[in-house]
Amino acid sequence: HVLLYLYSLNKLDLRGKMDFNYLLYSMLLCSMCCGLTFGQGSVPIVLATWGFAQQPTDKAWEKLQANKGPLDAVQSGCEYCEFNHCASSVGYANNFDENGETTLDAMLMEGKTHKVGGVAAIKRVVNAIGVARAVMDYTTHTLLTGESATSFAREMGFPVLEKTTLTNATLFQYLRWRYRDCQPNNRKNVKNKCLCGPYSPLDSVEEHSPNELTTWKDLILLKKLAGDASMENLDDHDTLGVLAIDAKGDIAAGVTTNGMRRKVPGRVGDSPIPGSGAYVDNDIGGAVCTGDGDIMMRFLPSYHAVQMLQFGLTPTQAGHDAMLRILKVYPFFSGACIVVNKQGEHGAGCTMARFPMYVRTSNMDSATLLRVNCTIPETPYFNIK
């Protein structure tokens, strides 16, 4: 683009001769205008994580076009996957915990008042994002958990299943896991880790290095070493995250997941934690993140990414910085954040080779798949002490 621009100014002839000062000036101009932003600004806009998010993105867009607002939009996008099982890690009856149960985490946040509604480890309820909206609309609280969240859902009129059910495929995976002595699992420093329990603490607690590979992170590293460029089918931990900005500039985010497979019962991931799974601010922008939630919630990456926008970083740079601060402590961490500023400029930071996301704006007939090449800088953009 720089060369074409110079040629149009007659500063570059057909043999490639050019004024070096014009080259430096034009490259500087290009970097100032384009930065590292993946997508140019446009509102209204909808963005969503992962390669299974085309329909959720379109569903959210339909709500924006019907003037329903960004909160209704992201809720609609998340509900589509909850009811239609877009991925094994989203929706009821898929990923299981050690007891063979499915529990869901979900959250909604809107950027005008920073209201949040969330549910964590909710059982026997399909529409987790709907219950999260009810927490926002009908309580003064932010987050409800476990069986109490299920009871609240029943009070609000949501269908509650009588008993836990799994899909046939998931039931087979669970029974096979049990047959293989519950390997791998998410226990550490316990007796009988190589069995299905009973578990009890070891006499001494071993300090584990952040570099240690555990559970599905082994697979991630092996796939990287084997040269798997996409990583798109590794859906053991994928969270559906949806961001929407309407024509008035109001921003909202929604996230939903059934969490990590084989998790310890009661485990809550990053998705329903404001600032970790998602964060939005009308004055700045928004972010949603996905990956190893147990690590991510220690760093609040979505909050960090949004705050970096205030310091002048592009959305891609902000996503990079959020990932880099995790990688400094956990070099084998796997995850991603998609980020959008209030003008609709968007980008992503990720630790895989590539990360798929969907976007839709007014000049698109349907949601468009973007494949982000994950290149993280070696040093933070700001050295925050």
Side-chain angles (χ1 to χ4, degrees):
H1 287 86
V2 171
L3 296 177
L4 288 174
Y5 174 71
L6 290 171
Y7 180 71
S8 70
L9 295 180
N10 294 320
K11 296 299 180 181
L12 175 68
D13 66 22
L14 293 178
R15 294 182 303 277
K17 297 179 181 179
M18 60 181 301
D19 187 310
F20 185 71
N21 290 329
Y22 272 95
L23 173 62
L24 292 177
Y25 173 79
S26 300
M27 291 178 68
L28 177 62
L29 180 64
C30 181
S31 65
M32 291 173 61
C33 293
C34 301
L36 291 175
T37 302
F38 189 80
Q40 299 303 307
S42 176
V43 294
I45 188 172
V46 175
L47 302 122
T49 57
W50 296 110
F52 56 77
Q54 180 176 3
Q55 289 84 359
T57 303
D58 285 333
K59 291 294 182 182
W61 181 258
E62 290 173 5
K63 290 292 184 180
L64 287 187
Q65 294 301 100
N67 296 317
K68 296 295 184 181
L71 199 60
D72 286 345
V74 297
Q75 180 180 344
S76 178
C78 289
E79 284 179 335
Y80 180 87
C81 272
E82 289 181 343
F83 290 124
N84 293 280
H85 298 284
C86 297
S88 65
S89 56
V90 179
Y92 190 76
N94 280 325
N95 276 357
F96 52 84
D97 65 13
E98 288 181 347
N99 293 335
E101 290 189 286
T102 298
T103 59
L104 307 183
D105 299 338
M107 180 186 68
L108 288 162
M109 182 174 185
E110 61 94 15
K112 189 174 184 178
T113 67
H114 288 213
K115 290 192 300 183
V116 174
V119 292
I122 189 171
K123 298 181 177 182
R124 304 186 308 283
V125 174
V126 175
N127 189 196
I129 197 74
V131 181
R133 179 66 179 273
V135 172
M136 177 188 288
D137 289 345
Y138 303 117
T139 79
T140 60
H141 304 313
T142 294
L143 181 65
L144 298 181
T145 66
E147 285 287 358
S148 295
T150 302
S151 297
F152 172 77
R154 186 181 289 107
E155 290 176 352
M156 295 294 102
F158 290 89
V160 176
L161 301 175
E162 292 299 321
K163 62 179 181 178
T164 295
T165 59
L166 297 174
T167 65
N168 290 336
T170 304
L171 178 60
F172 172 78
Q173 292 170 1
Y174 174 68
L175 294 176
R176 182 177 59 180
W177 178 72
R178 295 284 301 185
Y179 176 77
R180 295 176 176 175
D181 292 326
C182 301
Q183 301 301 308
N185 59 51
N186 291 286
R187 303 281 182 164
K188 68 178 184 179
N189 296 320
V190 296
K191 299 175 183 178
N192 296 324
K193 174 175 170 55
C194 294
L195 300 172
C196 293
Y199 304 110
S200 60
L202 293 174
D203 294 334
S204 61
V205 175
E206 178 185 351
E207 290 296 330
H208 290 252
S209 166
N211 296 342
E212 181 182 11
L213 302 180
T214 58
T215 64
W216 56 267
K217 289 185 282 297
D218 292 330
L219 177 59
I220 291 173
L221 178 60
L222 291 174
K223 289 172 75 70
K224 282 185 177 180
L225 294 176
D228 187 327
S230 69
M231 302 288 288
E232 294 172 20
N233 295 321
L234 189 60
D235 61 355
D236 188 25
H237 59 289
D238 301 348
T239 296
L240 173 64
V242 185
L243 286 164
I245 307 178
D246 67 9
K248 297 184 294 184
D250 289 331
I251 308 176
V255 290
T256 183
T257 182
N258 53 37
M260 181 182 291
R261 192 173 299 161
R262 304 176 297 271
K263 60 191 174 185
V264 177
R267 181 260 190 186
V268 174
D270 69 297
S271 297
I273 309 301
S276 189
Y279 191 80
V280 290
D281 187 319
N282 264 21
D283 294 330
I284 309 170
V288 292
C289 300
T290 178
D292 187 342
D294 293 297
I295 292 177
M296 285 200 300
M297 69 173 73
R298 305 169 193 175
F299 295 85
L300 299 179
S302 61
Y303 175 80
H304 178 85
V306 172
Q307 295 308 306
M308 286 299 98
L309 294 175
Q310 288 198 102
F311 289 97
L313 268 64
T314 67
T316 295
Q317 291 173 330
H320 284 170
D321 206 67
M323 294 293 98
L324 179 60
R325 294 182 184 279
I326 301 176
L327 290 171
K328 286 174 62 179
V329 183
Y330 297 94
F332 295 107
F333 163 77
S334 179
C337 289
I338 61 175
V339 188
V340 62
N341 63 22
K342 64 181 182 180
Q343 290 82 22
E345 296 172 336
H346 52 279
C350 44
T351 66
M352 311 86 160
R354 284 187 304 178
F355 178 71
M357 57 181 282
Y358 272 91
V359 61
R360 185 161 182 185
T361 60
S362 298
N363 61 354
M364 300 175 183
D365 294 329
S366 63
T368 299
L369 176 65
L370 305 178
R371 300 179 188 273
V372 181
N373 290 320
C374 303
T375 303
I376 303 294
E378 294 183 0
T379 58
Y381 292 97
F382 294 101
N383 289 316
I384 299 175
K385 302 297 184 181

